[in-house]
Each structure stands twice: as structure tokens, then as C-alpha cells.
PDB file of all heavy atoms in Angstrom:
ATOM      1  N   MET A  91       0.816  -1.164   0.001  1.00 76.00           N
ATOM      2  CA  MET A  91       0.021  -0.036  -0.013  1.00 76.00           C
ATOM      3  C   MET A  91       0.848   1.227  -0.056  1.00 76.00           C
ATOM      4  O   MET A  91       0.587   2.206  -0.673  1.00 76.00           O
ATOM      5  CB  MET A  91      -0.959  -0.029   1.240  1.00 76.00           C
ATOM      6  CG  MET A  91      -2.104  -1.023   1.090  1.00 76.00           C
ATOM      7  SD  MET A  91      -3.050  -1.088   2.641  1.00 76.00           S
ATOM      8  CE  MET A  91      -3.808   0.553   2.716  1.00 76.00           C
ATOM      9  N   ILE A  92       1.934   1.234   0.789  1.00 84.00           N
ATOM     10  CA  ILE A  92       2.871   2.390   0.836  1.00 84.00           C
ATOM     11  C   ILE A  92       3.554   2.648  -0.523  1.00 84.00           C
ATOM     12  O   ILE A  92       3.625   3.748  -1.065  1.00 84.00           O
ATOM     13  CB  ILE A  92       3.898   2.251   1.908  1.00 84.00           C
ATOM     14  CG1 ILE A  92       3.235   2.214   3.319  1.00 84.00           C
ATOM     15  CG2 ILE A  92       4.956   3.242   1.809  1.00 84.00           C
ATOM     16  CD1 ILE A  92       4.193   1.824   4.400  1.00 84.00           C
ATOM     17  N   VAL A  93       3.969   1.521  -1.100  1.00 86.00           N
ATOM     18  CA  VAL A  93       4.587   1.636  -2.460  1.00 86.00           C
ATOM     19  C   VAL A  93       3.571   2.190  -3.528  1.00 86.00           C
ATOM     20  O   VAL A  93       3.978   3.021  -4.299  1.00 86.00           O
ATOM     21  CB  VAL A  93       5.153   0.279  -2.930  1.00 86.00           C
ATOM     22  CG1 VAL A  93       5.602   0.315  -4.364  1.00 86.00           C
ATOM     23  CG2 VAL A  93       6.232  -0.230  -2.020  1.00 86.00           C
ATOM     24  N   ILE A  94       2.428   1.705  -3.529  1.00 82.00           N
ATOM     25  CA  ILE A  94       1.385   2.141  -4.500  1.00 82.00           C
ATOM     26  C   ILE A  94       1.014   3.569  -4.183  1.00 82.00           C
ATOM     27  O   ILE A  94       0.793   4.403  -5.158  1.00 82.00           O
ATOM     28  CB  ILE A  94       0.178   1.223  -4.398  1.00 82.00           C
ATOM     29  CG1 ILE A  94       0.531  -0.145  -5.014  1.00 82.00           C
ATOM     30  CG2 ILE A  94      -1.009   1.787  -5.245  1.00 82.00           C
ATOM     31  CD1 ILE A  94      -0.487  -1.217  -4.941  1.00 82.00           C
ATOM     32  N   PHE A  95       0.946   3.962  -2.940  1.00 85.00           N
ATOM     33  CA  PHE A  95       0.609   5.375  -2.607  1.00 85.00           C
ATOM     34  C   PHE A  95       1.713   6.296  -3.122  1.00 85.00           C
ATOM     35  O   PHE A  95       1.317   7.358  -3.658  1.00 85.00           O
ATOM     36  CB  PHE A  95       0.498   5.593  -1.075  1.00 85.00           C
ATOM     37  CG  PHE A  95       0.238   6.986  -0.658  1.00 85.00           C
ATOM     38  CD1 PHE A  95      -0.991   7.485  -0.673  1.00 85.00           C
ATOM     39  CD2 PHE A  95       1.290   7.810  -0.176  1.00 85.00           C
ATOM     40  CE1 PHE A  95      -1.194   8.847  -0.313  1.00 85.00           C
ATOM     41  CE2 PHE A  95       1.111   9.099   0.180  1.00 85.00           C
ATOM     42  CZ  PHE A  95      -0.124   9.654   0.116  1.00 85.00           C
ATOM     43  N   ALA A  96       2.956   5.867  -3.006  1.00 89.00           N
ATOM     44  CA  ALA A  96       4.047   6.673  -3.489  1.00 89.00           C
ATOM     45  C   ALA A  96       3.970   6.758  -5.035  1.00 89.00           C
ATOM     46  O   ALA A  96       4.185   7.844  -5.635  1.00 89.00           O
ATOM     47  CB  ALA A  96       5.405   6.127  -3.104  1.00 89.00           C
ATOM     48  N   ALA A  97       3.730   5.630  -5.651  1.00 88.00           N
ATOM     49  CA  ALA A  97       3.586   5.537  -7.121  1.00 88.00           C
ATOM     50  C   ALA A  97       2.427   6.444  -7.607  1.00 88.00           C
ATOM     51  O   ALA A  97       2.570   7.142  -8.616  1.00 88.00           O
ATOM     52  CB  ALA A  97       3.330   4.141  -7.617  1.00 88.00           C
ATOM     53  N   SER A  98       1.314   6.417  -6.889  1.00 86.00           N
ATOM     54  CA  SER A  98       0.197   7.226  -7.224  1.00 86.00           C
ATOM     55  C   SER A  98       0.508   8.714  -7.190  1.00 86.00           C
ATOM     56  O   SER A  98       0.132   9.472  -8.105  1.00 86.00           O
ATOM     57  CB  SER A  98      -0.957   6.918  -6.228  1.00 86.00           C
ATOM     58  OG  SER A  98      -2.090   7.818  -6.530  1.00 86.00           O
ATOM     59  N   ALA A  99       1.229   9.138  -6.137  1.00 89.00           N
ATOM     60  CA  ALA A  99       1.614  10.558  -6.030  1.00 89.00           C
ATOM     61  C   ALA A  99       2.581  11.056  -7.137  1.00 89.00           C
ATOM     62  O   ALA A  99       2.410  12.058  -7.719  1.00 89.00           O
ATOM     63  CB  ALA A  99       2.321  10.729  -4.664  1.00 89.00           C
ATOM     64  N   LEU A 100       3.450  10.021  -7.543  1.00 92.00           N
ATOM     65  CA  LEU A 100       4.344  10.241  -8.633  1.00 92.00           C
ATOM     66  C   LEU A 100       3.578  10.402 -10.018  1.00 92.00           C
ATOM     67  O   LEU A 100       3.869  11.312 -10.717  1.00 92.00           O
ATOM     68  CB  LEU A 100       5.423   9.203  -8.772  1.00 92.00           C
ATOM     69  CG  LEU A 100       6.406   9.304  -9.911  1.00 92.00           C
ATOM     70  CD1 LEU A 100       7.218  10.521  -9.862  1.00 92.00           C
ATOM     71  CD2 LEU A 100       7.305   8.053  -9.931  1.00 92.00           C
ATOM     72  N   VAL A 101       2.643   9.514 -10.227  1.00 91.00           N
ATOM     73  CA  VAL A 101       1.942   9.546 -11.474  1.00 91.00           C
ATOM     74  C   VAL A 101       1.017  10.785 -11.556  1.00 91.00           C
ATOM     75  O   VAL A 101       0.939  11.408 -12.610  1.00 91.00           O
ATOM     76  CB  VAL A 101       0.992   8.278 -11.586  1.00 91.00           C
ATOM     77  CG1 VAL A 101       0.010   8.329 -12.767  1.00 91.00           C
ATOM     78  CG2 VAL A 101       1.865   7.012 -11.805  1.00 91.00           C
ATOM     79  N   GLN A 102       0.359  11.169 -10.434  1.00 89.00           N
ATOM     80  CA  GLN A 102      -0.430  12.314 -10.449  1.00 89.00           C
ATOM     81  C   GLN A 102       0.489  13.623 -10.728  1.00 89.00           C
ATOM     82  O   GLN A 102       0.048  14.502 -11.471  1.00 89.00           O
ATOM     83  CB  GLN A 102      -1.111  12.504  -9.089  1.00 89.00           C
ATOM     84  CG  GLN A 102      -2.325  11.509  -8.877  1.00 89.00           C
ATOM     85  CD  GLN A 102      -3.487  11.814  -9.689  1.00 89.00           C
ATOM     86  OE1 GLN A 102      -3.591  12.863 -10.264  1.00 89.00           O
ATOM     87  NE2 GLN A 102      -4.404  10.870  -9.776  1.00 89.00           N
ATOM     88  N   TRP A 103       1.579  13.670 -10.108  1.00 92.00           N
ATOM     89  CA  TRP A 103       2.515  14.767 -10.385  1.00 92.00           C
ATOM     90  C   TRP A 103       2.878  14.845 -11.828  1.00 92.00           C
ATOM     91  O   TRP A 103       2.895  15.874 -12.424  1.00 92.00           O
ATOM     92  CB  TRP A 103       3.722  14.635  -9.467  1.00 92.00           C
ATOM     93  CG  TRP A 103       4.816  15.694  -9.793  1.00 92.00           C
ATOM     94  CD1 TRP A 103       4.861  17.013  -9.435  1.00 92.00           C
ATOM     95  CD2 TRP A 103       5.916  15.437 -10.618  1.00 92.00           C
ATOM     96  NE1 TRP A 103       5.935  17.610  -9.975  1.00 92.00           N
ATOM     97  CE2 TRP A 103       6.593  16.621 -10.690  1.00 92.00           C
ATOM     98  CE3 TRP A 103       6.515  14.297 -11.197  1.00 92.00           C
ATOM     99  CZ2 TRP A 103       7.853  16.746 -11.402  1.00 92.00           C
ATOM    100  CZ3 TRP A 103       7.625  14.487 -11.972  1.00 92.00           C
ATOM    101  CH2 TRP A 103       8.387  15.640 -12.020  1.00 92.00           C
ATOM    102  N   ARG A 104       3.265  13.656 -12.331  1.00 91.00           N
ATOM    103  CA  ARG A 104       3.741  13.582 -13.750  1.00 91.00           C
ATOM    104  C   ARG A 104       2.622  13.932 -14.716  1.00 91.00           C
ATOM    105  O   ARG A 104       2.809  14.635 -15.690  1.00 91.00           O
ATOM    106  CB  ARG A 104       4.217  12.156 -14.030  1.00 91.00           C
ATOM    107  CG  ARG A 104       4.994  11.993 -15.312  1.00 91.00           C
ATOM    108  CD  ARG A 104       6.227  12.834 -15.342  1.00 91.00           C
ATOM    109  NE  ARG A 104       6.992  12.573 -16.507  1.00 91.00           N
ATOM    110  CZ  ARG A 104       7.993  13.308 -16.935  1.00 91.00           C
ATOM    111  NH1 ARG A 104       8.348  14.428 -16.253  1.00 91.00           N
ATOM    112  NH2 ARG A 104       8.722  13.004 -18.005  1.00 91.00           N
ATOM    113  N   LEU A 105       1.378  13.513 -14.417  1.00 90.00           N
ATOM    114  CA  LEU A 105       0.238  13.851 -15.277  1.00 90.00           C
ATOM    115  C   LEU A 105       0.025  15.393 -15.328  1.00 90.00           C
ATOM    116  O   LEU A 105      -0.144  15.919 -16.415  1.00 90.00           O
ATOM    117  CB  LEU A 105      -1.035  13.118 -14.748  1.00 90.00           C
ATOM    118  CG  LEU A 105      -2.337  13.557 -15.429  1.00 90.00           C
ATOM    119  CD1 LEU A 105      -2.296  13.227 -16.979  1.00 90.00           C
ATOM    120  CD2 LEU A 105      -3.582  12.880 -14.714  1.00 90.00           C
ATOM    121  N   ARG A 106      -0.012  15.997 -14.137  1.00 90.00           N
ATOM    122  CA  ARG A 106      -0.198  17.429 -14.111  1.00 90.00           C
ATOM    123  C   ARG A 106       0.953  18.176 -14.846  1.00 90.00           C
ATOM    124  O   ARG A 106       0.753  19.186 -15.462  1.00 90.00           O
ATOM    125  CB  ARG A 106      -0.318  17.890 -12.689  1.00 90.00           C
ATOM    126  CG  ARG A 106      -1.586  17.423 -11.986  1.00 90.00           C
ATOM    127  CD  ARG A 106      -1.790  17.898 -10.574  1.00 90.00           C
ATOM    128  NE  ARG A 106      -2.954  17.338  -9.972  1.00 90.00           N
ATOM    129  CZ  ARG A 106      -4.178  17.852 -10.153  1.00 90.00           C
ATOM    130  NH1 ARG A 106      -4.336  19.005 -10.840  1.00 90.00           N
ATOM    131  NH2 ARG A 106      -5.206  17.311  -9.550  1.00 90.00           N
ATOM    132  N   SER A 107       2.138  17.620 -14.688  1.00 93.00           N
ATOM    133  CA  SER A 107       3.280  18.287 -15.319  1.00 93.00           C
ATOM    134  C   SER A 107       3.202  18.122 -16.828  1.00 93.00           C
ATOM    135  O   SER A 107       3.410  19.150 -17.566  1.00 93.00           O
ATOM    136  CB  SER A 107       4.640  17.511 -14.836  1.00 93.00           C
ATOM    137  OG  SER A 107       5.708  18.001 -15.608  1.00 93.00           O
ATOM    138  N   LYS A 108       2.760  16.975 -17.273  1.00 93.00           N
ATOM    139  CA  LYS A 108       2.687  16.756 -18.767  1.00 93.00           C
ATOM    140  C   LYS A 108       1.488  17.613 -19.312  1.00 93.00           C
ATOM    141  O   LYS A 108       1.587  18.184 -20.400  1.00 93.00           O
ATOM    142  CB  LYS A 108       2.312  15.226 -19.081  1.00 93.00           C
ATOM    143  CG  LYS A 108       3.515  14.410 -18.890  1.00 93.00           C
ATOM    144  CD  LYS A 108       4.535  14.571 -19.954  1.00 93.00           C
ATOM    145  CE  LYS A 108       5.727  13.605 -19.829  1.00 93.00           C
ATOM    146  NZ  LYS A 108       6.703  13.748 -20.896  1.00 93.00           N
ATOM    147  N   PHE A 109       0.400  17.687 -18.541  1.00 90.00           N
ATOM    148  CA  PHE A 109      -0.734  18.539 -18.984  1.00 90.00           C
ATOM    149  C   PHE A 109      -0.409  19.966 -19.100  1.00 90.00           C
ATOM    150  O   PHE A 109      -0.744  20.645 -20.087  1.00 90.00           O
ATOM    151  CB  PHE A 109      -1.892  18.314 -18.026  1.00 90.00           C
ATOM    152  CG  PHE A 109      -3.177  18.950 -18.437  1.00 90.00           C
ATOM    153  CD1 PHE A 109      -3.990  18.287 -19.389  1.00 90.00           C
ATOM    154  CD2 PHE A 109      -3.571  20.268 -18.020  1.00 90.00           C
ATOM    155  CE1 PHE A 109      -5.168  18.957 -19.912  1.00 90.00           C
ATOM    156  CE2 PHE A 109      -4.734  20.842 -18.440  1.00 90.00           C
ATOM    157  CZ  PHE A 109      -5.541  20.221 -19.357  1.00 90.00           C
ATOM    158  N   ARG A 110       0.386  20.550 -18.118  1.00 91.00           N
ATOM    159  CA  ARG A 110       0.861  21.905 -18.216  1.00 91.00           C
ATOM    160  C   ARG A 110       1.747  22.064 -19.387  1.00 91.00           C
ATOM    161  O   ARG A 110       1.631  23.108 -20.105  1.00 91.00           O
ATOM    162  CB  ARG A 110       1.593  22.236 -16.927  1.00 91.00           C
ATOM    163  CG  ARG A 110       0.642  22.524 -15.743  1.00 91.00           C
ATOM    164  CD  ARG A 110       1.427  23.201 -14.587  1.00 91.00           C
ATOM    165  NE  ARG A 110       2.512  22.465 -14.124  1.00 91.00           N
ATOM    166  CZ  ARG A 110       2.523  21.511 -13.117  1.00 91.00           C
ATOM    167  NH1 ARG A 110       1.333  21.379 -12.513  1.00 91.00           N
ATOM    168  NH2 ARG A 110       3.529  20.944 -12.738  1.00 91.00           N
ATOM    169  N   GLN A 111       2.648  21.123 -19.603  1.00 95.00           N
ATOM    170  CA  GLN A 111       3.536  21.246 -20.723  1.00 95.00           C
ATOM    171  C   GLN A 111       2.871  21.235 -22.059  1.00 95.00           C
ATOM    172  O   GLN A 111       3.129  22.170 -22.910  1.00 95.00           O
ATOM    173  CB  GLN A 111       4.557  20.021 -20.671  1.00 95.00           C
ATOM    174  CG  GLN A 111       5.549  19.984 -21.858  1.00 95.00           C
ATOM    175  CD  GLN A 111       6.432  18.749 -21.825  1.00 95.00           C
ATOM    176  OE1 GLN A 111       6.445  17.986 -20.853  1.00 95.00           O
ATOM    177  NE2 GLN A 111       7.108  18.459 -22.981  1.00 95.00           N
ATOM    178  N   TYR A 112       2.019  20.294 -22.267  1.00 95.00           N
ATOM    179  CA  TYR A 112       1.327  20.222 -23.550  1.00 95.00           C
ATOM    180  C   TYR A 112       0.176  21.255 -23.707  1.00 95.00           C
ATOM    181  O   TYR A 112      -0.266  21.470 -24.829  1.00 95.00           O
ATOM    182  CB  TYR A 112       0.794  18.761 -23.756  1.00 95.00           C
ATOM    183  CG  TYR A 112       1.824  17.749 -23.773  1.00 95.00           C
ATOM    184  CD1 TYR A 112       1.703  16.520 -23.227  1.00 95.00           C
ATOM    185  CD2 TYR A 112       3.118  18.007 -24.376  1.00 95.00           C
ATOM    186  CE1 TYR A 112       2.682  15.539 -23.203  1.00 95.00           C
ATOM    187  CE2 TYR A 112       4.045  17.158 -24.366  1.00 95.00           C
ATOM    188  CZ  TYR A 112       3.935  15.877 -23.800  1.00 95.00           C
ATOM    189  OH  TYR A 112       4.876  14.928 -23.820  1.00 95.00           O
ATOM    190  N   SER A 113      -0.252  21.822 -22.601  1.00 93.00           N
ATOM    191  CA  SER A 113      -1.159  22.904 -22.672  1.00 93.00           C
ATOM    192  C   SER A 113      -0.607  24.166 -23.257  1.00 93.00           C
ATOM    193  O   SER A 113      -1.336  25.063 -23.648  1.00 93.00           O
ATOM    194  CB  SER A 113      -1.838  23.167 -21.266  1.00 93.00           C
ATOM    195  OG  SER A 113      -2.623  22.095 -20.853  1.00 93.00           O
ATOM    196  N   GLU A 114       0.677  24.236 -23.225  1.00 94.00           N
ATOM    197  CA  GLU A 114       1.402  25.414 -23.744  1.00 94.00           C
ATOM    198  C   GLU A 114       1.807  25.251 -25.152  1.00 94.00           C
ATOM    199  O   GLU A 114       2.322  26.147 -25.816  1.00 94.00           O
ATOM    200  CB  GLU A 114       2.661  25.696 -22.929  1.00 94.00           C
ATOM    201  CG  GLU A 114       2.348  26.053 -21.472  1.00 94.00           C
ATOM    202  CD  GLU A 114       3.567  26.132 -20.647  1.00 94.00           C
ATOM    203  OE1 GLU A 114       4.689  25.986 -21.213  1.00 94.00           O
ATOM    204  OE2 GLU A 114       3.500  26.549 -19.395  1.00 94.00           O
ATOM    205  N   VAL A 115       1.522  24.068 -25.804  1.00 95.00           N
ATOM    206  CA  VAL A 115       1.784  23.768 -27.213  1.00 95.00           C
ATOM    207  C   VAL A 115       0.510  23.918 -27.935  1.00 95.00           C
ATOM    208  O   VAL A 115      -0.431  23.203 -27.873  1.00 95.00           O
ATOM    209  CB  VAL A 115       2.404  22.383 -27.335  1.00 95.00           C
ATOM    210  CG1 VAL A 115       2.642  22.084 -28.881  1.00 95.00           C
ATOM    211  CG2 VAL A 115       3.653  22.179 -26.482  1.00 95.00           C
ATOM    212  N   GLY A 116       0.445  24.937 -28.815  1.00 94.00           N
ATOM    213  CA  GLY A 116      -0.717  25.219 -29.598  1.00 94.00           C
ATOM    214  C   GLY A 116      -0.924  24.207 -30.677  1.00 94.00           C
ATOM    215  O   GLY A 116      -0.028  23.809 -31.363  1.00 94.00           O
ATOM    216  N   LEU A 117      -2.175  23.819 -30.860  1.00 94.00           N
ATOM    217  CA  LEU A 117      -2.545  22.797 -31.971  1.00 94.00           C
ATOM    218  C   LEU A 117      -2.327  23.595 -33.292  1.00 94.00           C
ATOM    219  O   LEU A 117      -2.960  24.661 -33.430  1.00 94.00           O
ATOM    220  CB  LEU A 117      -3.937  22.303 -31.764  1.00 94.00           C
ATOM    221  CG  LEU A 117      -4.306  21.058 -32.513  1.00 94.00           C
ATOM    222  CD1 LEU A 117      -3.492  19.885 -31.976  1.00 94.00           C
ATOM    223  CD2 LEU A 117      -5.827  20.744 -32.308  1.00 94.00           C
ATOM    224  N   ARG A 118      -1.623  23.022 -34.183  1.00 93.00           N
ATOM    225  CA  ARG A 118      -1.326  23.748 -35.430  1.00 93.00           C
ATOM    226  C   ARG A 118      -2.607  24.143 -36.180  1.00 93.00           C
ATOM    227  O   ARG A 118      -2.621  25.135 -36.787  1.00 93.00           O
ATOM    228  CB  ARG A 118      -0.437  22.867 -36.320  1.00 93.00           C
ATOM    229  CG  ARG A 118       0.066  23.646 -37.680  1.00 93.00           C
ATOM    230  CD  ARG A 118       1.186  22.917 -38.308  1.00 93.00           C
ATOM    231  NE  ARG A 118       2.340  22.886 -37.433  1.00 93.00           N
ATOM    232  CZ  ARG A 118       3.545  22.415 -37.854  1.00 93.00           C
ATOM    233  NH1 ARG A 118       3.710  21.823 -38.958  1.00 93.00           N
ATOM    234  NH2 ARG A 118       4.573  22.418 -37.003  1.00 93.00           N
ATOM    235  N   ASN A 119      -3.631  23.280 -36.208  1.00 93.00           N
ATOM    236  CA  ASN A 119      -4.865  23.594 -36.885  1.00 93.00           C
ATOM    237  C   ASN A 119      -5.760  24.662 -36.144  1.00 93.00           C
ATOM    238  O   ASN A 119      -6.799  25.101 -36.650  1.00 93.00           O
ATOM    239  CB  ASN A 119      -5.722  22.401 -37.289  1.00 93.00           C
ATOM    240  CG  ASN A 119      -6.302  21.726 -36.052  1.00 93.00           C
ATOM    241  OD1 ASN A 119      -6.304  22.280 -34.963  1.00 93.00           O
ATOM    242  ND2 ASN A 119      -6.778  20.492 -36.213  1.00 93.00           N
ATOM    243  N   GLY A 120      -5.404  24.967 -34.945  1.00 94.00           N
ATOM    244  CA  GLY A 120      -6.026  26.065 -34.215  1.00 94.00           C
ATOM    245  C   GLY A 120      -7.403  25.711 -33.604  1.00 94.00           C
ATOM    246  O   GLY A 120      -8.160  26.567 -33.109  1.00 94.00           O
ATOM    247  N   MET A 121      -7.805  24.389 -33.628  1.00 96.00           N
ATOM    248  CA  MET A 121      -9.112  23.972 -33.054  1.00 96.00           C
ATOM    249  C   MET A 121      -8.995  24.023 -31.525  1.00 96.00           C
ATOM    250  O   MET A 121      -8.028  23.676 -30.928  1.00 96.00           O
ATOM    251  CB  MET A 121      -9.437  22.621 -33.523  1.00 96.00           C
ATOM    252  CG  MET A 121      -9.704  22.490 -35.015  1.00 96.00           C
ATOM    253  SD  MET A 121     -10.032  20.789 -35.581  1.00 96.00           S
ATOM    254  CE  MET A 121     -11.555  20.456 -34.772  1.00 96.00           C
ATOM    255  N   SER A 122     -10.182  24.406 -30.930  1.00 97.00           N
ATOM    256  CA  SER A 122     -10.326  24.333 -29.450  1.00 97.00           C
ATOM    257  C   SER A 122     -10.722  23.008 -29.012  1.00 97.00           C
ATOM    258  O   SER A 122     -11.124  22.141 -29.862  1.00 97.00           O
ATOM    259  CB  SER A 122     -11.323  25.392 -29.004  1.00 97.00           C
ATOM    260  OG  SER A 122     -12.642  25.086 -29.407  1.00 97.00           O
ATOM    261  N   GLY A 123     -10.692  22.707 -27.700  1.00 97.00           N
ATOM    262  CA  GLY A 123     -11.129  21.464 -27.242  1.00 97.00           C
ATOM    263  C   GLY A 123     -12.582  21.185 -27.549  1.00 97.00           C
ATOM    264  O   GLY A 123     -12.951  20.069 -27.921  1.00 97.00           O
ATOM    265  N   ARG A 124     -13.409  22.218 -27.460  1.00 97.00           N
ATOM    266  CA  ARG A 124     -14.816  22.112 -27.838  1.00 97.00           C
ATOM    267  C   ARG A 124     -14.998  21.711 -29.337  1.00 97.00           C
ATOM    268  O   ARG A 124     -15.804  20.859 -29.681  1.00 97.00           O
ATOM    269  CB  ARG A 124     -15.609  23.376 -27.520  1.00 97.00           C
ATOM    270  CG  ARG A 124     -17.056  23.404 -27.979  1.00 97.00           C
ATOM    271  CD  ARG A 124     -17.733  24.777 -27.810  1.00 97.00           C
ATOM    272  NE  ARG A 124     -17.059  25.759 -28.526  1.00 97.00           N
ATOM    273  CZ  ARG A 124     -17.260  26.004 -29.848  1.00 97.00           C
ATOM    274  NH1 ARG A 124     -18.118  25.225 -30.509  1.00 97.00           N
ATOM    275  NH2 ARG A 124     -16.615  26.997 -30.444  1.00 97.00           N
ATOM    276  N   GLU A 125     -14.214  22.384 -30.122  1.00 97.00           N
ATOM    277  CA  GLU A 125     -14.333  22.153 -31.618  1.00 97.00           C
ATOM    278  C   GLU A 125     -13.857  20.690 -31.962  1.00 97.00           C
ATOM    279  O   GLU A 125     -14.488  20.075 -32.790  1.00 97.00           O
ATOM    280  CB  GLU A 125     -13.579  23.164 -32.358  1.00 97.00           C
ATOM    281  CG  GLU A 125     -14.165  24.591 -32.295  1.00 97.00           C
ATOM    282  CD  GLU A 125     -13.260  25.628 -32.757  1.00 97.00           C
ATOM    283  OE1 GLU A 125     -12.018  25.422 -32.849  1.00 97.00           O
ATOM    284  OE2 GLU A 125     -13.741  26.765 -33.095  1.00 97.00           O
ATOM    285  N   VAL A 126     -12.779  20.332 -31.279  1.00 97.00           N
ATOM    286  CA  VAL A 126     -12.365  18.915 -31.551  1.00 97.00           C
ATOM    287  C   VAL A 126     -13.395  17.879 -31.117  1.00 97.00           C
ATOM    288  O   VAL A 126     -13.658  16.973 -31.880  1.00 97.00           O
ATOM    289  CB  VAL A 126     -11.025  18.609 -30.715  1.00 97.00           C
ATOM    290  CG1 VAL A 126     -10.630  17.129 -30.678  1.00 97.00           C
ATOM    291  CG2 VAL A 126      -9.850  19.464 -31.287  1.00 97.00           C
ATOM    292  N   ALA A 127     -13.973  18.148 -29.941  1.00 97.00           N
ATOM    293  CA  ALA A 127     -15.038  17.174 -29.440  1.00 97.00           C
ATOM    294  C   ALA A 127     -16.234  17.139 -30.400  1.00 97.00           C
ATOM    295  O   ALA A 127     -16.753  16.082 -30.805  1.00 97.00           O
ATOM    296  CB  ALA A 127     -15.534  17.566 -28.081  1.00 97.00           C
ATOM    297  N   GLU A 128     -16.724  18.339 -30.898  1.00 97.00           N
ATOM    298  CA  GLU A 128     -17.878  18.363 -31.730  1.00 97.00           C
ATOM    299  C   GLU A 128     -17.559  17.748 -33.107  1.00 97.00           C
ATOM    300  O   GLU A 128     -18.410  17.081 -33.684  1.00 97.00           O
ATOM    301  CB  GLU A 128     -18.305  19.852 -31.909  1.00 97.00           C
ATOM    302  CG  GLU A 128     -18.887  20.446 -30.643  1.00 97.00           C
ATOM    303  CD  GLU A 128     -19.218  21.922 -30.742  1.00 97.00           C
ATOM    304  OE1 GLU A 128     -18.758  22.570 -31.712  1.00 97.00           O
ATOM    305  OE2 GLU A 128     -19.981  22.380 -29.924  1.00 97.00           O
ATOM    306  N   HIS A 129     -16.333  18.035 -33.586  1.00 97.00           N
ATOM    307  CA  HIS A 129     -15.910  17.405 -34.840  1.00 97.00           C
ATOM    308  C   HIS A 129     -15.882  15.860 -34.755  1.00 97.00           C
ATOM    309  O   HIS A 129     -16.390  15.218 -35.683  1.00 97.00           O
ATOM    310  CB  HIS A 129     -14.514  17.924 -35.233  1.00 97.00           C
ATOM    311  CG  HIS A 129     -14.064  17.558 -36.599  1.00 97.00           C
ATOM    312  ND1 HIS A 129     -14.872  16.979 -37.533  1.00 97.00           N
ATOM    313  CD2 HIS A 129     -12.859  17.732 -37.163  1.00 97.00           C
ATOM    314  CE1 HIS A 129     -14.167  16.836 -38.675  1.00 97.00           C
ATOM    315  NE2 HIS A 129     -12.923  17.243 -38.436  1.00 97.00           N
ATOM    316  N   MET A 130     -15.377  15.275 -33.630  1.00 98.00           N
ATOM    317  CA  MET A 130     -15.317  13.852 -33.523  1.00 98.00           C
ATOM    318  C   MET A 130     -16.632  13.270 -33.355  1.00 98.00           C
ATOM    319  O   MET A 130     -16.948  12.171 -33.985  1.00 98.00           O
ATOM    320  CB  MET A 130     -14.462  13.484 -32.284  1.00 98.00           C
ATOM    321  CG  MET A 130     -14.225  11.963 -32.149  1.00 98.00           C
ATOM    322  SD  MET A 130     -13.002  11.659 -30.860  1.00 98.00           S
ATOM    323  CE  MET A 130     -13.080   9.791 -30.747  1.00 98.00           C
ATOM    324  N   LEU A 131     -17.542  13.824 -32.618  1.00 98.00           N
ATOM    325  CA  LEU A 131     -18.941  13.381 -32.532  1.00 98.00           C
ATOM    326  C   LEU A 131     -19.607  13.389 -33.855  1.00 98.00           C
ATOM    327  O   LEU A 131     -20.328  12.393 -34.204  1.00 98.00           O
ATOM    328  CB  LEU A 131     -19.690  14.219 -31.497  1.00 98.00           C
ATOM    329  CG  LEU A 131     -19.261  14.166 -30.020  1.00 98.00           C
ATOM    330  CD1 LEU A 131     -19.960  15.145 -29.209  1.00 98.00           C
ATOM    331  CD2 LEU A 131     -19.459  12.752 -29.469  1.00 98.00           C
TER     332      LEU A 131
END
């Protein structure tokens, strides 16, 4: 349980770090999240 708790904290930190990193990279086609979702649907 201790090992998994530590792994969970690491994964959550890494996820937030990656999300921040890729949130700063603009999509070349300029679509927003809403537009991507509507297009896929």
C-alpha cells in the first residue's frame, strides 16, 4: 500500500506536469477542445 501510494503521487504529479507542458503547445490547426469534441462526435 505504501509503495502504491508513492507511485500514485508520482503519477499524479507527472500527469499534471505533462498536462501543463502540452497545454502550452498550440495545436497547429487552431481547433479548441470544444471544436475537436464536436468534430469527432
Side-chain angles (χ1 to χ4, degrees):
M91 288 174 64
I92 294 173
V93 170
I94 292 176
F95 177 80
S98 177
L100 176 62
V101 169
Q102 287 287 348
W103 171 81
R104 192 63 174 165
L105 171 61
R106 292 181 181 278
S107 175
K108 289 289 185 179
F109 187 80
R110 283 195 300 270
Q111 177 185 348
Y112 299 142
S113 291
E114 296 175 358
V115 179
L117 198 64
R118 184 166 297 183
N119 67 12
M121 294 175 70
S122 67
R124 175 185 62 80
E125 291 168 339
V126 168
E128 291 176 345
H129 189 9
M130 183 170 175
L131 292 173

